[in-house]
Amino acid sequence: MTMELLIASAIAVLTAAGVYLVLRARTFPVVLGLAFLSYAINLFLFAMGRLVINRPPIYDKAAESYTDPLPQALVLTAIVIAFGMTAFVVVLALRTFLETGVDHVDGHGEEEAGS
């Protein structure tokens, strides 16, 4: 029971931090927020797989039970996709900063945002 509470709390904290950072006005916190959201999704997928300890991942007639390898494959695939997405967003944010000179998401500086 305590492990489920710990996993659920970790997912909730990562999701809350990710949403908070995605809603910021600067590009670097948005990138970090997207990374936190992808970590929360990976943890959620991994926890939903009902991981079993000391069980083979491949079905064998000699084994009385086995663990499902699909959640592990999904998480590995999601990690690779999230890494590629993060690299793309970082390059896009850097290019936007170099083009506009400001790192706000909407492209306006702090002095223009107030007016």
Side-chain angles (χ1 to χ4, degrees):
M1 180 65 183
T2 60
M3 187 57 119
E4 289 88 2
L5 182 64
L6 182 64
I7 295 282
S9 299
I11 293 171
V13 167
L14 284 172
T15 303
V19 168
Y20 176 76
L21 288 173
V22 164
L23 295 175
R24 303 305 300 164
R26 302 204 178 261
T27 55
F28 184 68
V30 171
V31 172
L32 283 178
L34 289 174
F36 280 162
L37 284 174
S38 68
Y39 294 152
I41 291 169
N42 289 343
L43 188 57
F44 177 74
L45 286 174
F46 206 59
M48 290 297 105
R50 295 190 194 112
L51 298 175
V52 183
I53 299 172
N54 294 330
R55 305 281 183 194
I58 300 174
Y59 180 70
D60 186 14
K61 292 182 181 180
E64 62 273 359
S65 66
Y66 62 96
T67 185
D68 188 15
L70 185 63
Q72 298 168 13
L74 285 174
V75 169
L76 284 174
T77 304
I79 288 170
V80 171
I81 291 171
F83 180 73
M85 181 197 68
T86 303
F88 175 72
V89 170
V90 165
V91 169
L92 192 65
L94 183 62
R95 174 67 184 223
T96 304
F97 174 71
L98 292 175
E99 290 280 331
T100 63
V102 294
D103 64 343
H104 279 257
V105 177
D106 59 359
H108 299 294
E110 290 177 4
E111 62 280 349
E112 296 175 13
S115 57

